[in-house]
Each structure stands twice: as C-alpha cells, then as structure tokens.
C-alpha cells in the first residue's frame, strides 16, 4: 500500500514493492529470494488482513450468538465462494479448509481410500510426486491390499505419458497426479490425464501445490474429482490450505477428524454428522488463516494470473539461458512445459555447499531432495540445488544467482 492507502504493484514488475520482507538485507547484501516453491513471501495486504482480524475481528466461528462471532463466521464462510471462483469450482460446498495440501491428500486417502480400496484395486501415481502425494497412497495400499502403480519419467523430466496411459486400466480406482512438479518444474497434461482416467472409471486427485501460484486453475475444465493446494504457496499464511472435492463424492465419504462443529447432533449412543463441507472441518478452524488466504487470492486476482504466468515464463527462460552458460552445470528438469523451477547440479560441488555459499551472498535457494526422493534417484543424484520463482523476482535475481554460481564454481575448480 502507498501512503494514501492505495494498492501499489498492480503493474508487472511493481509487484515486488508489495512484499515488505524483500526489503531486508542479509550479511549487508540485499536479499535475493529464490525459494518460493518452498514458501512464498507475503504481500502487505495479507499481513494487514491477519493483523486486522486479530486486532478487531477475532472470535470463534459457527457458535457465538453475539455480533462479533457472527461477523467472524460470515467473514470465514465468505471465503468459500471466493476459493470456488479462484479454482473454477461450481460452488462453495466442495471447498474444505485444511492445513495444507498434505492434509488434503491425507484426508482423501484416509476417507475415500479406506472406504473404496481393497485387494485387486490400483492407485496410479506419477514418478514425480512430492512425498505428500506418494506416502499416503503407499501406506493406504499396504493397509487395504491395493497396489500402488508408478508411471515413469522421461530423461527431460516429462511424464512418460504413453507409459502412464498403459498403466491406467480397469483396476485403477484412483489416479493421483502432481499438476506441476516441485523438483523438476514439469507441467503435466492433467486435463488429458483426467479425461483418460475418467474413461476407465477412476477417481482423480490433482496436487496443485505448485500450479496454483503460477497459473489460473479451473477444476471444472480439468474435470478432476479432487484438487488440493496450500495457502502459504499462493502468498497466503501457513497452516491453511484447500481441498476441493466433487460434492457427490464428499457426501459419500466418511468424516476424517471427529469432534466439534462436524456434527448435527450427538448422544452417547449416536452421532449425526454435519453436512458437507462442515463434516470435514472438526474443531475450531484456522479462521485467521482463512482470512489471510482470502487476501492472498484477492491479491493474485489483482495481479492477474495470466500476467503472472507470462511474466514468470519469461523469467524462467531468462534464468535457464543464464544457467546454461555455466560450465559443468546440468539442469535437472528440462521438459518443454515448465513453471517456476530451475533445478540443477554442478560437477564437483555438493548442492548443500552451493546453498551455503550462495547464502553468504544473500541468495536463498533450496538444496536437497525437495521431498521427492524417488525423483532424485531417477536422475542419479542425492540432491539438487533449486532456484524457484515468485511474481516478485526480477532478472537481476537470476543474474545474481548466475554470478554467484560462477564464482563458487571457480572456488572448486
Ligand atoms: N505437493 C507439492 C507439489 C509440493 O511442492 C508441496 C510442498 O512443497 C506439497 C505437496 C506439500 O505442501 P504442504 O507442505 O504445504 O502441505
């Protein structure tokens, strides 16, 4: 906001000014933040919305008869249709507030999964899933006797779509797929995949954690049954996220957590559960998180996700070209359709050393397995360095990264 209380940064390139943390310096150097795939920084509007909530609006929801609680409940419930609009969902009833993508996937695996899977059934995933969309299915399969089937990745980090289609079949009950890979940046053809999965009668879940910050998502045209994303990766608070589900499926699923707010009536003998979506929101929800998420989605709407996507696409191409000039650097993930992520290794330098030495220059990147150990194994590395983009990054950030990498490479030569 400027001194007149007006939003600044509706112009591409001016967005950066909306993020106070980016003005910090580290070791007397301006911060170059290139770890938005881990979490995004927050615009002032989100910070203000959360502060205002706790300063002026705080009350528990769905239970008070007094005005303050009614207001908080109305504010909370008003975010459901906003989220529905943001992801192109037909209505608010399919929007469930969860802690994040991880909880959303666990909810589906535990409720839909336990009720619907058994011996002879298959869950099809891709070889590039984040652990959040792998471990719940793997453990569910162990418990139910179903089988988890994994489609391979090609050398450039694309999904082997032909193999995926071959693995899809009448036994596939669930096809769970990552929309954009956090380790490789690959954008998967999820619309095509969902249509193919539907044709064999499979239910589909799309992990949109790395898609929602970078592109407009429309669950209606994707045709999926479940879609998840995390608030903190779309410039909102931590501890809040969204599971969107097709209402008919949600209605057929047993609840996940049990307790207050998810009931209509309780006796010692019997409980009648509340209707969807409340059936899946037991206990006091993260009201401030929902309010902050609302501000974040409004911010992204203001920026315009089509403009964000075009801007980041240009940055990604620029960064890819710059890193391509560094001798001994190998990109991990070069699929033709990518978003937001530059993963790489440099001959003779451990990615963790790269991370530490870049930090000394005020540059924050991620080094490690990125919660995708099978992806690392597929590419024959223990870890990669990953620079990931947000709408506030500039070409200068990528130039600083390339300059830093050149200098570090020289130290190890
Ligand atoms: N899926 C993907 C693709 C991710 O990148 C992440 C986080 O990095 C997650 C799931 C898990 O998100 P969260 O930790 O916010 O639940």
């Amino acid at each position: 906001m400027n001194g007149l209380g007006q939003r600044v940064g509706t112009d591409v390139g001016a967005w950066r000014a909306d993020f106070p943390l980016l003005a910090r310096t580290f070791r007397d150097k301006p911060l170059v933040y290139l770890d938005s795939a881990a979490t995004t920084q927050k615009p002032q509007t989100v910070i203000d919305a959360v502060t205002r909530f706790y300063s002026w609006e705080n009350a528990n929801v769905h239970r008070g008869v007094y005005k303050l609680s009614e207001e908080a409940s109305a504010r909370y419930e008003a975010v459901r249709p906003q989220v529905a609009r943001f992801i192109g969902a037909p209505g608010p009833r399919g929007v469930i507030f969860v802690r994040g993508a991880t909880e959303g996937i666990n909810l589906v695996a535990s409720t839909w999964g336990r009720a619907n899977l058994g011996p002879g059934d298959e869950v099809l995933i891709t070889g590039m899933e984040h652990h959040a969309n792998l471990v719940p299915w793997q453990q569910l399969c162990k418990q139910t006797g179903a089988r988890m089937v994994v489609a391979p990745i090609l050398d450039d980090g694309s999904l082997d779509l032909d193999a995926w289609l071959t693995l899809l079949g009448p036994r596939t009950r669930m096809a769970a797929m990552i929309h954009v890979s956090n380790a490789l940046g690959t954008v998967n053809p999820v619309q095509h995949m969902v249509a193919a999965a539907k044709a064999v009668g499979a239910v589909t879940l799309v992990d949109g954690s790395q898609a929602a910050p970078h592109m407009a998502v429309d669950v209606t045209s994707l045709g999926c049954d479940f879609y998840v994303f995390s608030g903190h990766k779309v410039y909102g608070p931590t501890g809040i996220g969204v599971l969107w589900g097709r209402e008919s499926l949600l209605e057929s699923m047993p609840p996940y957590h049990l307790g207050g707010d998810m009931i209509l009536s309780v006796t010692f003998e019997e409980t009648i559960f509340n209707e969807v979506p409340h059936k899946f929101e037991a206990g006091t929800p993260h009201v401030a998180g929902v309010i902050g998420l609302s501000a974040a989605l409004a911010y992204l709407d203001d920026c315009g996700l089509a403009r964000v996507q075009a801007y980041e696409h240009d940055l990604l191409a620029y960064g890819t070209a710059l890193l391509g000039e560094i001798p001994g650097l190998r990109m991990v993930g070069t699929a033709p359709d990518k978003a937001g992520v530059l993963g790489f290794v440099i001959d003779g330098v451990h990615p963790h050393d790269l991370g530490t030495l870049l930090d000394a220059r005020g540059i924050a990147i991620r080094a490690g397995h990125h919660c995708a150990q099978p992806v690392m194994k597929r590419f024959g590395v223990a870890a990669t360095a990953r620079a990931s983009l947000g709408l506030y990054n500039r070409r200068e950030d990528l130039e600083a990264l390339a300059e830093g990498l050149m200098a570090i490479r020289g130290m190890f030569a």
Side-chain angles (χ1 to χ4, degrees):
M1 308 286 272
N2 66 15
L4 300 171
Q6 295 161 331
R7 273 280 326 283
V8 293
T10 45
D11 291 330
V12 181
W15 293 328
R16 185 180 180 82
D18 296 336
F19 294 81
L21 188 142
L22 296 177
R24 280 193 69 178
T25 55
F26 284 84
R27 299 177 230 294
D28 295 328
K29 305 200 173 57
L31 170 65
V32 175
Y33 188 73
L34 288 168
D35 198 17
S36 293
T39 198
T40 51
Q41 297 305 338
K42 315 305 169 201
Q44 191 64 50
T45 49
V46 168
I47 300 165
D48 288 347
V50 173
T51 306
R52 194 169 51 243
F53 177 75
Y54 281 128
S55 309
W56 292 104
E57 300 163 354
N58 177 52
N60 210 328
V61 293
H62 300 153
R63 54 198 79 189
V65 291
Y66 51 91
K67 186 94 176 85
L68 189 62
S69 172
E70 282 171 4
E71 275 176 17
S73 304
R75 291 267 283 126
Y76 177 84
E77 287 303 327
V79 186
R80 256 188 248 281
Q82 183 191 3
V83 170
R85 279 193 302 278
F86 184 76
I87 57 170
R93 270 168 48 88
V95 174
I96 297 162
F97 293 118
V98 287
R99 280 190 295 148
T102 303
E103 190 177 49
I105 298 167
N106 274 276
L107 188 159
V108 177
S110 297
T111 60
W112 178 89
R114 275 178 220 265
N116 288 283
L117 292 187
D121 293 332
E122 291 179 355
V123 174
L124 176 59
I125 65 166
T126 78
M128 66 179 87
E129 299 306 323
H130 185 282
H131 296 164
N133 204 24
L134 186 170
V135 183
W137 301 117
Q138 178 196 66
Q139 295 301 308
L140 176 72
C141 286
K142 283 185 197 294
Q143 289 154 8
T144 58
R147 200 163 76 94
M148 190 174 83
V149 180
V150 186
I153 314 175
L154 299 173
D155 288 344
D156 68 354
S158 308
L159 177 68
D160 185 338
L161 191 59
D162 290 340
W164 187 87
L165 288 166
T166 309
L167 293 169
L168 187 70
R171 287 172 184 273
T172 314
R173 300 297 310 279
M174 162 62 74
M177 61 198 78
I178 193 166
H179 196 164
V180 174
S181 160
N182 61 306
L184 303 165
T186 310
V187 181
N188 282 316
V190 288
Q191 189 165 4
H192 180 62
M193 293 164 76
V194 166
K198 291 264 151 215
V200 300
V203 168
T204 52
L205 178 143
V206 180
D207 174 2
S209 306
Q210 299 293 346
H214 301 299
M215 60 188 70
V217 168
D218 189 315
V219 294
T220 302
S221 56
L222 289 181
C224 57
D225 296 304
F226 298 104
Y227 197 92
V228 296
F229 68 96
S230 291
H232 71 100
K233 296 195 200 281
V234 290
Y235 306 95
T238 51
I240 190 69
V242 170
L243 161 66
W244 173 80
R246 197 175 291 289
E247 273 178 50
S248 51
L249 276 172
L250 292 174
E251 263 149 22
S252 71
M253 284 155 49
Y256 182 42
H257 293 144
L258 307 172
D261 230 27
M262 52 76 67
I263 56 93
L264 282 181
S265 75
V266 178
T267 63
F268 284 121
E269 291 73 34
E270 208 55 68
T271 296
I272 300 176
F273 300 131
N274 207 338
E275 58 188 21
V276 169
H278 308 292
K279 180 171 81 172
F280 294 105
E281 293 181 6
T284 300
H286 185 8
V287 186
V290 168
I291 302 301
L293 176 65
S294 167
L297 301 187
Y299 180 80
L300 276 174
D301 278 345
D302 274 2
C303 295
L305 270 159
R307 289 200 301 170
V308 170
Q309 186 175 15
Y311 176 70
E312 290 181 354
H313 190 265
D314 178 66
L315 270 186
L316 189 67
Y318 186 67
T320 305
L322 282 182
L323 296 193
E325 284 166 17
I326 298 171
L329 183 146
R330 173 165 73 95
M331 295 296 296
V332 179
T334 54
D337 197 3
K338 278 187 63 176
V341 170
L342 294 151
F344 56 92
V345 288
I346 295 188
D347 287 345
V349 192
H350 194 283
H352 285 142
D353 291 332
L354 283 177
T356 307
L357 291 164
L358 285 171
D359 177 50
R361 305 169 81 94
I363 303 172
I365 63 150
R366 179 82 171 264
H369 55 64
H370 317 292
C371 296
Q373 285 183 356
V375 177
M376 300 297 113
K377 193 168 172 204
R378 162 66 179 82
F379 288 93
V381 292
T384 64
R386 180 187 73 184
S388 57
L389 304 175
L391 54 79
Y392 33 61
N393 285 118
R394 305 164 298 185
R395 286 186 167 217
E396 293 95 294
D397 297 337
L398 296 162
E399 286 156 10
L401 172 69
E403 202 179 298
L405 290 174
M406 273 298 222
I408 293 165
R409 208 193 137 263
M411 290 161 60
F412 283 80

